[in-house]
Every structure is written in structure tokens, then in C-alpha cells.
Amino acid sequence: MDDLLLYLAALAMIYLMPGPDMILLLQTGARQGRRRALATALGLAMARACHVTLAAVGLASLFKVLPWTFEVVKFAGAGYLLWLGIRMFKAVSHGALPDQPANSPPGQGLAAMRRGLLTNILNPKALLFCSVLLPQFIQPALGPVLGQFALLGAILVTVGAMFDVTYVIAGGWLGRRLEQSAIAQKVQGRLFGTVLIGFALRLAWAQ
């Protein structure tokens, strides 16, 4: 029980730290509404499940054996975050609000889910996090290791989804507060765009 509480506390601290996932959810909730933001959260959950699976099969060790694979994934993820940040700036600069729910064409939910999936799955640090954290709570004496890994992974994805829904709600609340002020929307768009670009640069420098 103590180990489980410690594991939950570790997950909570990670999910409370500002990161590209959180910013993407807040921005999507504020600009596109909760439905699109929930689709983004689904994409994030899928990516986390993939990271847990890859960690279980030991793929993270590939980064140690072939360091260039880490660099490839890292720069792909940084490039994607940079593209998202620049896209936010462009939308603000053109004075457009193309992502408002009322004007969004069908299929935007799928696009939102894809943004969440790519934002997380192209972050090699997320895979390394799973590979480092989960084995610390595996106890072979308690039963099959694979089963414990699956349980810890399910908890990781579930707790992450709970935090994501909280950020979705916060983003929707923010959007309603800003919808009456074009200036506030521009400031919010530029701020979130700047933060995403900052995360892109930080990821590009990650070792």
C-alpha cells in the first residue's frame, strides 16, 4: 500500500508540472472547446499507453545502444512542438479564430486526437520516464512481472487522464472568460505559442 501511494504521488507531481501536454490541453480547451480538448486528451492517453508498452519490452534500452535513435525522436518531437507554437502565432497574427467550435468542420476531433498523440509519443523523455519509474515499483515476489507492469501502466494512463480532464475543464473555463475580448485572446494565443516554442527548444537540447 505504501508503495502504491508513493507511486501515485510521483505521478501526481509529474502531471502537475507544466509541460507541452498541459499547454496543448489548455489551448485546445480555450480555443476549440471541451469536446476537441477531450479528443486531444484521448490522443495523449493512447500515447502514454504506447510508452508503457514500449518500456515493458525494453525499447528504451535502444536509446542507450544506438544514441542516434534518441536524437531522431527528440528532434522530431521538438520540430512538432515548434510547428504547433508557430501555428498559434500565425492564427493570432492573422486575427483569425479558425478553431472555434462553431466553425470547426467534421474531422477536427480526429485532428485534435492526432495532435495529442503526436505531442506525447514524439517525446522520448516520456518513454524514458516510464522505463525508469515503473521498474522501481515492480516486486517479483508478488507475482508475474508482466502483470505488475501492466497494472502500473494502467494506473499511469488513468491518473494522467484524470489530470488531463481537469486541464480540459480549466481550458474551457479560460475560453469562456476570454471570448468577449479579442485582445485577451491574442495575448493568450501568443503566450501559449511562446511556451510551446520554449518546450520545443528545451527538448531539442535534452541529452
Side-chain angles (χ1 to χ4, degrees):
M1 180 60 70
D2 290 341
D3 286 344
L4 178 58
L5 292 177
L6 182 60
Y7 179 62
L8 293 174
L11 292 179
M13 287 189 292
I14 292 297
Y15 288 128
L16 284 172
M17 292 178 60
D21 296 352
M22 180 193 296
I23 297 300
L24 183 63
L25 287 171
L26 291 173
Q27 170 70 2
T28 305
R31 293 293 294 274
Q32 300 183 13
R34 290 182 181 177
R35 182 175 298 180
R36 301 287 187 265
L38 286 173
T40 301
L42 177 59
L44 291 171
M46 293 169 60
R48 290 174 188 137
C50 288
H51 282 309
V52 169
T53 303
L54 294 175
V57 299
L59 190 62
S61 61
L62 181 66
F63 291 158
K64 295 182 179 180
V65 178
L66 299 174
W68 64 267
T69 59
F70 177 83
E71 298 297 318
V72 169
V73 177
K74 178 184 72 173
F75 283 115
Y80 186 70
L81 290 178
L82 182 64
W83 177 78
L84 286 178
I86 293 174
R87 191 163 176 258
M88 290 181 189
F89 267 100
K90 285 185 175 180
V92 172
S93 299
H94 289 89
L97 298 176
D99 295 330
Q100 290 298 320
N103 301 322
S104 297
Q108 281 297 306
L110 182 60
M113 183 179 68
R114 185 169 59 249
R115 282 195 296 272
L117 176 66
L118 292 176
T119 297
N120 189 275
I121 207 167
L122 290 177
N123 185 352
K125 293 193 296 183
L127 173 58
L128 292 176
F129 166 72
C130 292
S131 300
V132 171
L133 179 67
L134 270 63
Q136 297 184 45
F137 294 91
I138 297 294
Q139 301 182 38
L142 296 181
V145 171
L146 187 58
Q148 293 184 56
F149 214 105
L151 176 60
L152 291 174
I155 293 174
L156 183 148
V157 174
T158 301
V159 172
M162 293 171 61
F163 276 91
D164 288 347
V165 170
T166 301
Y167 299 138
V168 167
I169 294 173
W173 177 87
L174 180 63
R176 290 194 298 273
R177 294 299 180 275
L178 299 179
E179 63 184 359
Q180 301 300 325
S181 173
I183 295 178
Q185 291 183 40
K186 288 183 179 180
V187 170
Q188 173 254 326
R190 286 172 179 162
L191 175 61
F192 283 174
T194 300
V195 173
L196 277 183
I197 291 173
F199 282 128
L201 296 176
R202 189 177 71 172
L203 179 57
W205 283 99
Q207 299 298 319

